[in-house]
Amino acid sequence: MKKGLLLLSLFISVLSYAQKDTSSSASKLFKKAGGLFNKAKGGGSGALSNDDIVAGLKEALSVGAKNSAGKLSAMDGFFKNQAIKLLIPPEAKKVESALRSAGLGSQVDKAILSMNRAAEEASKSAAPIFVDAI
């Protein structure tokens, strides 16, 4: 039961990180995951060991970290993604409104763009940190 849940979580992780990615690394990962599922279905001596499961999870997390950092560090990786776009914090909304009403909306927009560009730049160095942690 535990192996099945771990394999299911591995498969879901791979799917979520490889979204629409048809690169060779993603296809290799899918083939490897399929092989692990087939190996686990056989049961008996062909069942996955804890080491196999840990290695698979580590690989899935590493690939996910690299792919995510790559997408986020691209131009507009943050700025044009409404789910993660950095905005003015709620504590500064009154200041933002005052600046916009004073005709300084373009400077506020530039500040928001600048924050998002900084996040995209920081994402470039995030993958190695996460991979090392894994």
Side-chain angles (χ1 to χ4, degrees):
M1 179 69 175
K2 286 183 181 180
K3 288 181 182 180
L5 290 175
L6 285 172
L7 289 173
L8 180 60
S9 66
L10 171 65
F11 185 68
I12 290 170
S13 296
V14 169
L15 283 178
S16 65
Y17 292 128
Q19 303 169 355
K20 298 181 185 178
D21 186 3
T22 57
S23 68
S24 61
S25 65
S27 63
K28 287 179 189 175
L29 196 56
F30 279 122
K31 287 179 184 176
K32 189 170 187 175
L36 291 175
F37 277 114
N38 290 335
K39 185 177 177 183
K41 285 199 306 191
S45 63
L48 291 173
S49 69
N50 282 339
D51 291 341
D52 290 337
I53 294 169
V54 168
L57 288 172
K58 283 183 178 182
E59 185 172 352
L61 289 170
S62 294
V63 168
K66 290 174 187 173
N67 288 347
S68 297
K71 288 179 183 177
L72 293 176
S73 65
M75 179 70 79
D76 292 328
F78 275 83
F79 188 70
K80 290 198 176 174
N81 185 335
Q82 294 304 313
I84 59 173
K85 180 180 180 180
L86 300 176
L87 300 171
I88 299 293
E91 299 85 358
K93 285 293 184 185
K94 288 182 182 178
V95 174
E96 177 187 8
S97 296
L99 289 171
R100 288 189 186 280
S101 64
L104 299 173
S106 65
Q107 282 82 356
V108 173
D109 293 337
K110 286 179 185 177
I112 292 171
L113 178 62
S114 178
M115 288 188 305
N116 284 276
R117 291 290 182 253
E120 292 160 5
E121 188 65 31
S123 295
K124 291 178 183 176
S125 58
I129 295 169
F130 283 111
V131 170
D132 287 344
I134 294 167

